[in-house]
Amino acid sequence: MKATITHIKADIGSLPGHTTVYGPVVEAVRKYVKEKGESLLSDFHISYVGDDIQITMVHNKGVDCPEIHELAWNAFKSGTDLARKVGLYGAGQDLLKDSFSGNIKGMGPGIAEMEITPRKSEPFIVYMMDKTEPGAFNYPIFKMFADPYNTPGLVIDSNMHDGFIFEIWDIVEAKRIFLSAPEHMYDILGMIGSKGRYVIKRVHTKPNHEKLPDENVAVITTDKLSFIAGEYVGKDDPAGIVRIQSGLPASGEAMEAFSHPYLVSGWMRGSFNGPLMPVAMKDAKMTRFDGPPRVVGLGFVLKDGKLAGPVDMFDDPAFDGARRTAVKVVDYLRRMGPFEPHRVPEEDMEYTTLPRVLEKYKGQFEAVPDIQKKKKEVKLSTKDVD
Ligand SMILES: [Mg+2]
């Protein structure tokens, strides 16, 4: 029998700024899901990272189920009531619409869900990031499912040897493409290296996979708040579900992908590049320059609709080195202040408050006689680049 894992997250208020969630609000969300979800869910788990509350749910109603989405929406609503009462910062900030309308997509909260055929043992890890964007998952997901230096299973496990299919979304054009690795590996990288535009939405097994033919094995939230609201209203902090073991990356291969604190965009005011630091949930408090961006990983096993776990996966001294490197990178980058590439490129500042600040100079620029205006259109080069 199929099972559905639905993960929905939202920032509904934090303290003192965007640092962390408030315990009683997390409890209010938990209480709502427990009481109202009793007949809908077979199990659930509430967690948090930084200022985001995370609801992981298991049920058998398939993806895009209105009742499940509404349950999460109303749970966040009930948490928001308390957040407003105690004056939390940004109370209800990710709930962009007034009332629920059938599907939580496009309403503010981030959602990742997959319908699966559970194996005898169904282990998976939920990764949750704060102070960054959906494209922050491109690097580790590629490493897990396509890089043999990270995942030796791609070389030595016959079940993984044929590789995987990547579903990549162009979130600017609202289009998607399915590309197969290793065959189209370089094209995949050509796209997902532009993490602000191309994001890995899902990973699928190939039809000839011995244990899991045609299955969705990883899914990531891709909700871009600024595209929904038309302006910067908070960070699009993503979460992802990754199934592991038996023909998929081993637990350690999935974790290894985070051992290098690679640079992501987000951090302070959603406007700065910084290292993604893997931490235990207890350390997911964003205090230094509202960061640095962090990732928490919770490991579960699913059986007959029930969850065992979670294990707080980065709560391990083996990741101390990655954390130390991250702090060194923070020290280095912070000295750049408002300069790029610490600050994100100008086109990404479009949704921030900077255009408003510079508005007053709009009519004051005068033409410079010696330079020509650069045309916006770019022609594809047919020449080789040395
Ligand atoms: Mg957040």
Side-chain angles (χ1 to χ4, degrees), residues 7 9 105-106 108-113 133-138 167-172 175 195-202 219-228 236-240:
H7 185 89
K9 47 87 32 191
K105 281 177 200 159
I111 173 161
E113 57 180 348
E133 59 179 4
F137 267 102
N138 286 1
E167 180 182 333
I168 300 167
W169 285 16
D170 174 342
I171 53 174
V172 176
K175 288 181 173 165
K195 59 185 175 37
R197 173 163 185 175
Y198 298 99
V199 300
I200 299 172
K201 175 65 185 175
R202 293 186 186 87
V219 61
I220 289 95
T221 62
T222 43
D223 312 80
K224 195 90 174 146
L225 291 179
S226 54
F227 290 177
I228 302 168
D236 322 301
D237 309 317

Side-chain angles (χ1 to χ4, degrees), residues 11 49 51-52 130-131 235 237:
D11 177 351
V49 50
D51 51 14
D52 297 297
D130 192 34
K131 304 296 183 275
K235 297 171 188 77
D237 309 317

Side-chain angles (χ1 to χ4, degrees), residues 317-330:
F319 282 93
D320 283 352
R323 293 189 268 265
R324 269 197 302 273
T325 305
V327 173
K328 269 189 198 161
V329 174
V330 168

Side-chain angles (χ1 to χ4, degrees), residues 346 353-362 365:
E346 194 183 4
T353 44
L354 184 64
R356 226 173 293 154
V357 174
L358 299 180
E359 179 76 18
K360 57 181 176 284
Y361 298 109
K362 216 175 174 184
F365 277 92

Side-chain angles (χ1 to χ4, degrees), residues 1-73:
M1 203 173 97
K2 295 253 184 190
T4 310
I5 307 169
T6 300
H7 185 89
I8 302 183
K9 47 87 32 191
D11 177 351
I12 52 168
S14 50
L15 83 165
H18 293 290
T19 310
T20 190
V21 295
Y22 179 53
V25 170
V26 179
E27 277 316 306
V29 171
R30 188 194 317 275
K31 192 167 167 265
Y32 191 94
V33 175
K34 190 172 169 43
E35 280 171 14
K36 307 286 181 186
E38 204 161 11
S39 59
L40 287 170
L41 307 175
S42 58
D43 209 349
F44 73 95
H45 182 78
I46 308 285
S47 55
Y48 55 87
V49 50
D51 51 14
D52 297 297
I53 298 179
Q54 316 266 345
I55 312 176
T56 310
M57 296 173 279
V58 184
H59 56 95
N60 58 11
K61 303 194 174 303
V63 298
D64 290 326
C65 170
E67 290 98 327
I68 300 290
H69 288 203
E70 190 171 19
L71 173 69
W73 176 264

